[in-house]
């Protein structure tokens, strides 16, 4: 493995790394379909071309757009409580949806099973939990369990006092669903069952759904063969925060990696395909369309997908290796050679764009910060706390350095070594 030693130094000196990160945060949360997302994609198209030295190829991604127009929750005593519609929540009937609320703790499968007889015709209330930890029950799974049990609405309480929580409802394009919204933990505290019975509440959610379009931005820096390492990050986020950790951090790091590696790629066996996806928060739509568009040969020519999603906010980095055990020795040796601690987490976690590559048989990993660190700032992802002040420059620099080392080594690996990644 040849590793020109100057990448980490170049990234440490890259003053554009933090500038890009802050610029992306300044556009706002970049919810798909918003002006904020459009401006951020324009910025990334320009910055990516400057970083890679090649023009941007912009791929059209049509999808069913959605936006929340109004959301409120009326408690039994008539007081209004703030709530935030989950992405692609269905609207309530015009007068609102009034029902009793069944509180299910975290919302584990055991809690849903134990309350199965209670849920029909009622609203399920669960807690948001740290996503980056083994054993977490994903919000979408809770939503599905609520629907299967006949619940007519879904509320999820955020972890931060006074703060709402957002995320995708998991409802696919044009599918049926139930109204779904995030609330503050104090509101959840007022929806607890008492001797008087389950409390009643009224959800009012208005939405607009119409066909729209976003973009996937591709920058191809060819190597000596027709093989590629795809370095990816998603640009979109949510509208209750700056989507700073998730995922201005990954986009800024990917741009910095491109700046550091561009001068060398032409000499390497494999090229770098820099890919910026959007509508990631919408069931990974951008990357799903992209991977689906690849023929068998194009998939075979991708040696590895290195997906950067939420790479700062904590100094501990993990690689989620999507079941590709064969890629782990390579990653660990690269990390050690670069002086980084790296933990490999084996199960396929369908929580970012790498999952679409992995499901298509392409070795894929997600680099993520703060995995299994419950106290880390990553607990604030999807809450109003995902803002730029949660990210230290040193964390972002270290993530970009490790991503550069992995990408450079993957581009240069011998075919026999790269073949082990697909096992
Ligand atoms: Zn993300």
């Amino acid at each position: 493995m040849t590793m020109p030693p100057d990448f980490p130094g170049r990234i440490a000196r890259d003053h554009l790394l933090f500038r890009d990160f802050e610029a992306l945060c300044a556009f706002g949360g970049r919810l798909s379909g918003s002006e904020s997302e459009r401006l951020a994609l324009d910025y990334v198209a320009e910055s990516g071309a400057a970083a890679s030295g090649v023009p941007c190829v912009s791929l059209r991604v049509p999808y069913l757009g959605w936006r929340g127009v109004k959301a409120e929750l009326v408690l039994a005593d008539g007081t209004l409580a703030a709530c935030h519609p989950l992405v692609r929540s269905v609207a309530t009937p015009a007068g609102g949806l009034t029902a009793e609320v069944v509180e299910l703790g975290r919302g584990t499968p055991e809690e849903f099973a134990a309350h199965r007889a209670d849920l029909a015709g009622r609203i399920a209330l669960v807690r948001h939990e740290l996503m980056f930890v083994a054993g977490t029950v994903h919000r979408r799974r809770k939503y599905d369990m609520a629907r299967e049990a006949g619940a007519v609405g879904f509320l999820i309480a955020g972890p931060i006092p006074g703060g709402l929580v957002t995320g995708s409802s998991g409802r696919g394009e044009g599918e049926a669903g139930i109204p779904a919204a995030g609330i503050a933990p104090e509101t959840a505290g007022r929806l607890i069952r008492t001797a008087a019975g389950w409390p009643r509440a009224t959800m009012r959610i208005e939405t607009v759904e119409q066909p729209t379009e976003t973009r996937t931005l591709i920058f191809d820096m060819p190597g000596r063969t027709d093989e590629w390492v795809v370095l990816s990050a998603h640009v979109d986020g949510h509208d209750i925060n700056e989507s700073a950790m998730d995922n201005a951090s990954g986009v800024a790091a990917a741009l910095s990696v491109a700046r550091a590696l561009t001068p060398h790629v032409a000499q390497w066996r494999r090229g770098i395909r820099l890919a910026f996806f959007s509508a990631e928060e919408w069931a990974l739509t951008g990357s799903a369309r992209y991977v689906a568009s690849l023929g068998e040969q194009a998939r075979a020519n991708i040696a590895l997908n290195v997906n950067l999603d939420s790479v700062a906010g904590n100094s501990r980095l993990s690689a989620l290796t999507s079941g590709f055990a064969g890629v782990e020795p390579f990653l660990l040796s690269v990390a050690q050679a670069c002086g980084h601690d790296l933990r490999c987490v084996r199960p396929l976690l369908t929580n970012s764009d790498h999952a679409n590559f992995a499901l298509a048989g392409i070795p894929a990993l997600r680099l993520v910060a703060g995995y299994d660190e419950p106290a880390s700032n990553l607990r604030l992802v999807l809450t109003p706390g995902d803002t730029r002040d949660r990210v230290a420059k040193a964390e972002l620099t270290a993530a970009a350095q490790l991503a550069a080392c992995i990408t450079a080594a993957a581009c240069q690996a011998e075919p026999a070594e790269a073949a082990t990644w697909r096992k």
Side-chain angles (χ1 to χ4, degrees), residues 234 236 246-247 280-281 309-310 351-352 366:
H234 72 85
D236 65 311
D246 181 14
N247 185 32
E280 188 269 354
E281 306 287 2
D309 190 353
S310 309
N351 54 13
S352 187
R366 171 183 179 176

Side-chain angles (χ1 to χ4, degrees), residues 279-312:
E280 188 269 354
E281 306 287 2
W282 304 47
L284 313 178
T285 296
S287 58
R289 298 284 167 78
Y290 175 73
V291 173
S293 77
L294 300 174
E296 203 176 317
Q297 190 58 50
R299 291 178 192 198
N301 285 349
I302 299 175
L304 185 65
N305 167 228
V306 180
N307 182 43
L308 309 183
D309 190 353
S310 309
V311 296

Side-chain angles (χ1 to χ4, degrees), residues 202-234:
T202 300
M203 297 174 72
R204 283 196 200 111
I205 296 178
E206 286 176 33
T207 66
V208 174
E209 284 191 82
Q210 56 192 20
T212 186
E213 202 171 282
T214 184
R215 289 170 271 165
T216 289
L217 308 178
I218 302 279
F219 304 88
D220 275 352
M221 294 166 270
R224 290 187 282 105
T225 67
D226 55 4
E227 291 182 32
W228 298 94
V229 173
V230 175
L231 177 65
S232 61
H234 72 85

Side-chain angles (χ1 to χ4, degrees), residues 306-378:
V306 180
N307 182 43
L308 309 183
D309 190 353
S310 309
V311 296
N314 185 263
S315 60
R316 288 201 57 196
L317 290 165
S318 296
L320 311 185
T321 55
S322 319
F324 288 92
V327 83
E328 292 176 0
F330 163 76
L331 295 174
L332 293 170
S333 72
V334 172
Q336 190 178 322
C338 298
H340 287 269
D341 286 330
L342 180 69
R343 190 176 157 221
C344 289
V345 178
R346 180 83 52 90
L348 171 64
L349 296 169
T350 57
N351 54 13
S352 187
D353 293 315
H354 66 290
N356 285 320
F357 288 84
L359 291 168
I362 300 165
L365 65 105
R366 171 183 179 176
L367 200 63
V368 64
Y371 192 88
D372 252 348
E373 302 274 331
S376 92
N377 285 343
L378 278 296

